[in-house]
Amino acid sequence: MRKQKPNLLRYEPATVEVPGGGVRVVESHHAEGFQMPMGEWPFHKICWVAVGKGSLESEQKTFSIGASDFLILPAKWRHRFVDLSKAPLTLVILCISVDYLETSLKSQLSLLWRKSLGDESWGQPRCARTAFHLSALVENFRLALQEEQNRSFGWETALKTVANRLLLNLSRGHCEVRESYETSSTKSVQGAVEFIDSHLYESLQVSDVAERCGLSPRRFTDLFKEVTGKTFSQYLNEKRIAYACRRLDETGHILYACHESGFNDAAYFYRVFKKHTGQTPGEYVASR
């Protein structure tokens, strides 16, 4: 006999228990006829609207919401979700305990969060700044959901890591009010450039970065050259060699600088280094 799959559709809100100093994730697939009374919750929520349309109602305002919106709902802020008929919502909600943000290690994030958003903007639908930022934000929610579902060793710590990353992204303006959303492909590429600058140590492939921008590799490559004046490879190698020089100045360790700057092949690192600086790494260290 075929095993029956569990029905994940909800007709009423899920009950969520968030431990003190902790983080939890809930996936809420609303069925047609979903009903949610106005209420308040003792934890903060960061919500990703994955599917559907509807509205977020508070006692003061009503906001229309839809797929790819993000919502920031503080603890004890009375609200409810109302689904549009025939287009029920699916939400992924990161639930963060109040004392998690109030501990000394998180206080700076808490201040940044409130300063960047302002109390008057609670509940206002927000969109990722560009398609690239949308991909990065959604990836965090998917990672959090996977950790919550699998509950492998260290899953609670992993959830806190994702929460910190989301809070930091929000504080740095990766998510803006919906009216400011930029659909420009060029803006998405600019977002990718920001990402590359701070992730030089990672393995970065044109196809992967282009996909996160919602562009074909060819279109991404053309726009990348328009934005930076260089090809993807030229730009990446220049940034990596500049960083490698800095690490060589500080440590004098060639292989350490090689791997720290994102080169996994020492021979390739030597070739690229000499091409950009006119010296081998050893000559560079000796000259300093």
Side-chain angles (χ1 to χ4, degrees):
M1 176 182 271
R2 269 174 90 182
K3 189 175 180 181
Q4 189 174 6
K5 294 183 179 180
N7 187 350
L8 299 179
L9 294 179
R10 298 187 186 279
Y11 291 87
E12 57 185 27
T15 300
V16 185
E17 293 185 8
V18 182
V23 178
R24 290 292 183 267
V25 182
V26 61
E27 183 180 32
S28 186
H29 298 273
H30 296 183
E32 287 189 37
F34 175 87
Q35 295 291 325
M36 180 176 183
M38 188 73 72
E40 60 182 48
W41 284 259
F43 46 79
H44 303 303
K45 298 180 185 179
I46 304 178
C47 309
W48 165 41
V49 183
V51 177
K53 295 180 180 180
S55 61
L56 169 67
E57 296 183 357
S58 71
E59 293 181 327
Q60 296 81 29
K61 297 179 181 179
T62 297
F63 300 106
S64 296
I65 59 175
S68 297
D69 280 345
F70 297 91
L71 308 167
I72 299 165
L73 313 176
K76 299 185 178 179
W77 187 75
R78 290 180 62 80
H79 66 276
R80 70 170 184 157
F81 292 105
V82 179
D83 297 70
L84 186 66
S85 178
K86 306 299 182 183
L89 296 163
T90 289
L91 307 170
V92 180
I93 306 171
L94 193 70
C95 307
I96 305 173
S97 66
V98 173
D99 54 347
Y100 179 79
L101 282 178
E102 292 176 349
T103 62
S104 57
L105 290 175
K106 313 299 184 307
S107 59
Q108 187 177 19
L109 279 176
S110 180
L111 289 172
L112 281 171
W113 190 27
R114 288 186 172 276
K115 182 179 178 181
S116 63
L117 299 175
D119 290 349
E120 72 280 356
S121 68
W122 295 130
Q124 188 170 359
R126 307 176 75 84
C127 291
R129 182 146 57 93
T130 69
F132 182 86
H133 293 97
L134 173 63
S135 175
L137 288 166
V138 168
E139 183 179 315
N140 282 318
F141 277 94
R142 287 174 174 158
L143 175 59
L145 190 59
Q146 186 177 60
E147 291 290 346
E148 178 79 46
Q149 291 173 339
N150 294 340
R151 300 204 169 194
S152 302
F153 176 77
W155 68 277
E156 291 177 301
T157 300
L159 283 183
K160 292 179 181 179
T161 301
V162 174
N164 285 351
R165 191 179 300 138
L166 278 170
L167 289 166
L168 191 57
N169 288 342
L170 292 168
S171 301
R172 287 178 171 177
H174 293 188
C175 211
E176 302 175 340
V177 293
R178 186 191 292 147
E179 290 73 14
S180 302
Y181 179 62
E182 178 60 72
T183 58
S184 165
S185 296
T186 299
K187 289 290 185 181
S188 293
V189 173
Q190 290 171 347
V193 172
E194 293 175 15
F195 178 82
I196 291 168
D197 289 348
S198 58
H199 292 76
L200 296 173
Y201 54 87
E202 292 187 11
S203 176
L204 300 171
Q205 303 296 327
V206 171
S207 56
D208 295 336
V209 181
E211 183 179 4
R212 294 179 68 170
C213 290
L215 300 169
S216 69
R218 182 170 181 175
R219 177 63 174 155
F220 172 81
T221 299
D222 291 342
L223 287 174
F224 191 91
K225 192 162 187 178
E226 285 182 19
V227 170
T228 65
K230 300 177 177 67
T231 66
F232 182 85
S233 179
Q234 288 171 338
Y235 183 87
L236 183 58
N237 281 337
E238 282 187 14
K239 288 287 183 177
R240 282 177 167 171
I241 294 302
Y243 184 67
C245 287
R246 198 172 98 201
R247 301 306 283 149
L248 286 172
D249 291 340
E250 295 166 347
T251 69
H253 294 295
I254 294 174
L255 285 179
Y256 181 76
C258 167
H259 294 295
E260 277 285 285
S261 53
F263 292 94
N264 296 318
D265 185 329
Y268 180 65
F269 170 66
Y270 271 73
R271 290 199 303 272
V272 175
F273 192 96
K274 186 164 187 178
K275 178 181 178 181
H276 284 272
T277 67
Q279 299 174 295
T280 67
E283 292 170 340
Y284 179 87
V285 171
S287 70
R288 297 286 162 170

